Amino acid sequence: MGQLSQLGLLDLSSNKLEGEIPSALGNLQKLFNLSLADNLLHGSIPKEIGSMSNLELLDLSSNNLNGSLQDSVEHCWKLRLLKLNHNNFKGNIPAELELLRNLQDILDLSDNSFTGEIPSQLSGLIMLGTLNLSHNELNGSIPSSFQSMKSLTSVDLSYNELEGTVPDMKKIHMIEDESCVNELIFNREIEALVQIRHRNIVKLFGYCSSSQGRFLISEYMERGDLGKTLKDNEKAIELDWRRRLHIVLDVIHALSYMHHDCSSPIVHRDITSNNILLDLEFRACISDFGTAKILNIYGQNLTRLAGTKGYLAPELAYTENVTEKCDVYSFGVLVLELFMGSHPGDFLSSLSLATKNNGVCLLDLLDPRLVIPDAETAREIYRILSVAVQCLEPNPSHRPTARRASDELSTIKGGEGQVDFLQAGITFPAL
């Protein structure tokens, strides 16, 4: 592979590759995207990787890599994304990572064995949007210089041994126009959210709103978020078909409650696998109401774009009017992700190129890490995915409401003769 001098993208992720990363990959000077994630690779990062001057995306997550990060990637100055999470790296986080000034998508060093203090020099990554240093053995305080990282939208420093005060940054940044949302409206909406009580919505115990910033204080869920669970092979296998079926019901019941059973409809606006939390019994709860919107049922609800790429309803590309159907679309994407085992972005993109409806065999949509489901479970998955694809309709008026979807999913009945649902086709709308 070291002789593929014209190669620009190399993706060998999600295999069972063993051994060490070949140092010869450093010869690929035109490579801009390298993904070796989700394999069984061990050893350290070859220093030759650090000489890949055109590398923009590097994902080595979910392997058994170890050693120190010192003198590894800090000279890949064009890096926009660096994911080294779910490995066995040790030692201090190198202060030299501040040299990666083009990092803007994500820096993820979570779930390793890094020790020592968080280097204050990381605050030099002024373009960075997401920083994850969770699940390590870091100590000391959070550097106060982090408050200068104005581009940060997500920070996770949990499961370390940190202490001290939290700098002015993890806090809620209001995305609406200041002319539309003021302190009084924010407080009123959060007070309404605190009153929500549903077994599948994370309890909000309180909030803080002051001139220094805004926080939401919520229930702790032991198993963390669904997105990380699906990315971890062992945890994903533990999340068997029956548990995934129950998660679908948990989420749609919560959405139905928010949209139809509250005094005013509440739209979450960011239904993603990262915002679905699991407790010890695999109960699923919707979390992160930082972008939630309480709707005015007597008029339009104009707002700036909020949410996560890959889950956003297509109508948000041409309208600023948010409705409950935006959550319904995101739910459809989430269900696909849950049963496929990974985000269906590429799959949905391929459907968008089609000019007519598409039929896909159920077996081709199932997470290959799990054993093939039995006939009864396959039937239930088929019925659930049939509802999910309705939620993906490009026209929001053609999507079911959350209540209707909840009713349909809760009344799935047995008895379909000798139909082989594993080979049955699911028809997707032309996206």
Side-chain angles (χ1 to χ4, degrees):
M1 287 188 175
Q3 300 179 31
L4 303 176
S5 59
Q6 302 302 307
L7 193 64
L9 185 154
L10 178 60
D11 187 349
L12 300 175
S13 60
S14 299
N15 285 287
K16 295 182 179 178
L17 299 177
E18 300 179 351
E20 299 188 356
I21 300 175
S23 59
L25 292 183
N27 298 331
L28 308 181
Q29 290 301 307
K30 292 191 176 181
L31 202 68
F32 65 88
N33 187 340
L34 174 60
S35 179
L36 303 176
D38 194 16
N39 281 293
L40 302 172
L41 300 171
H42 63 263
S44 58
I45 300 176
K47 64 179 185 301
E48 289 80 3
I49 296 292
S51 67
M52 301 174 74
S53 57
N54 286 306
L55 201 59
E56 297 182 25
L57 307 168
L58 178 60
D59 188 352
L60 304 179
S61 61
S62 298
N63 280 287
N64 296 315
L65 299 174
N66 51 42
S68 170
L69 282 192
Q70 204 74 39
D71 300 321
S72 58
V73 297
E74 57 265 31
H75 296 299
C76 298
W77 291 311
K78 290 188 178 181
L79 276 180
R80 293 187 291 109
L81 175 149
L82 177 58
K83 297 184 67 176
L84 303 177
N85 49 300
H86 299 301
N87 279 291
N88 296 312
F89 290 112
K90 302 182 186 300
N92 293 337
I93 296 175
E96 289 78 9
L97 291 181
E98 70 163 327
L99 299 174
L100 304 179
R101 295 300 176 93
N102 286 308
L103 275 180
Q104 51 186 292
D105 295 339
I106 185 171
L107 171 60
D108 193 343
L109 306 180
S110 64
D111 197 15
N112 280 285
S113 298
F114 288 112
T115 56
E117 297 188 351
I118 300 173
S120 61
Q121 291 87 341
L122 292 185
S123 62
L125 304 176
I126 57 174
M127 299 173 63
L128 189 62
T130 298
L131 175 65
N132 192 344
L133 304 180
S134 66
H135 293 84
N136 280 288
E137 300 170 22
L138 301 171
N139 54 42
S141 60
I142 303 173
S144 59
S145 58
F146 274 23
Q147 63 190 26
S148 65
M149 302 173 75
K150 301 300 183 183
S151 294
L152 280 178
T153 59
S154 175
V155 183
D156 191 347
L157 306 177
S158 61
Y159 294 95
N160 281 288
E161 300 174 11
L162 302 173
E163 58 186 7
T165 59
V166 179
D168 292 330
M169 56 181 191
K170 287 162 194 118
K171 303 175 185 177
I172 296 174
H173 299 282
M174 302 306 293
I175 60 172
E176 284 84 359
D177 292 329
E178 290 182 1
S179 59
C180 298
V181 175
N182 57 31
E183 189 74 13
L184 178 63
I185 294 176
F186 170 81
N187 289 344
R188 188 164 62 235
E189 294 200 350
I190 295 300
E191 285 171 356
L193 293 174
V194 170
Q195 301 303 315
I196 290 178
R197 286 295 179 266
H198 190 280
R199 72 178 304 274
N200 300 121
I201 296 176
V202 169
K203 292 182 179 65
L204 286 174
F205 294 124
Y207 67 97
C208 170
S209 179
S210 69
S211 59
Q212 284 75 41
R214 291 164 174 158
F215 292 97
L216 300 181
I217 305 165
S218 62
E219 176 185 8
Y220 176 68
M221 303 289 283
E222 294 86 350
R223 292 188 182 273
D225 67 73
L226 176 61
K228 289 181 181 177
T229 299
L230 290 175
K231 290 174 184 175
D232 185 295
N233 284 339
E234 291 184 8
K235 294 179 180 178
I237 292 173
E238 191 176 5
L239 198 66
D240 58 28
W241 297 122
R242 302 308 307 179
R243 285 172 172 158
R244 298 189 192 201
L245 290 169
H246 287 301
I247 287 173
V248 172
L249 295 177
D250 285 348
V251 174
I252 197 60
H253 291 336
L255 285 179
S256 178
Y257 170 81
M258 291 166 55
H259 293 178
H260 303 285
D261 295 328
C262 295
S263 56
S264 293
I266 299 175
V267 179
H268 186 277
R269 295 204 292 169
D270 199 18
I271 296 295
T272 72
S273 59
N274 292 335
N275 288 334
I276 305 300
L277 301 185
L278 306 175
D279 69 6
L280 287 175
E281 303 302 320
F282 293 94
R283 172 178 62 104
C285 288
I286 295 177
S287 71
D288 195 348
F289 284 82
T291 59
K293 181 75 175 175
I294 296 180
L295 297 188
N296 173 12
I297 60 177
Y298 300 107
Q300 287 189 315
N301 291 274
L302 299 180
T303 179
R304 288 190 178 180
L305 184 65
T308 300
K309 182 180 178 182
Y311 298 87
L312 293 173
E315 64 268 21
L316 294 177
Y318 56 82
T319 180
E320 294 181 334
N321 186 38
V322 63
T323 70
E324 301 98 316
K325 294 296 185 72
C326 298
D327 280 351
V328 172
Y329 181 90
S330 301
F331 169 74
V333 177
L334 175 71
V335 174
L336 273 182
E337 180 178 2
L338 185 59
F339 289 109
M340 294 176 70
S342 60
H343 188 275
D346 292 340
F347 171 72
L348 293 177
S349 296
S350 67
L351 295 181
S352 67
L353 300 176
T355 56
K356 59 182 181 179
N357 289 352
N358 306 266
V360 183
C361 174
L362 174 62
L363 188 59
D364 294 335
L365 293 173
L366 298 183
D367 190 338
R369 295 172 295 185
L370 270 61
V371 297
I372 296 176
D374 58 45
E376 174 62 20
T377 303
R379 182 191 64 80
E380 293 185 45
I381 295 174
Y382 180 88
R383 293 304 185 198
I384 284 178
L385 287 176
S386 296
V387 174
V389 298
Q390 298 175 40
C391 299
L392 297 175
E393 282 283 351
N395 187 335
S397 65
H398 294 168
R399 295 173 206 149
T401 63
R403 170 157 289 167
R404 183 182 138 203
S406 177
D407 290 344
E408 288 190 30
L409 294 174
S410 299
T411 56
I412 293 176
K413 295 182 174 64
E416 296 289 342
Q418 299 301 315
V419 176
D420 183 358
F421 284 97
L422 287 173
Q423 300 302 325
I426 295 178
T427 301
F428 285 79
L431 304 179

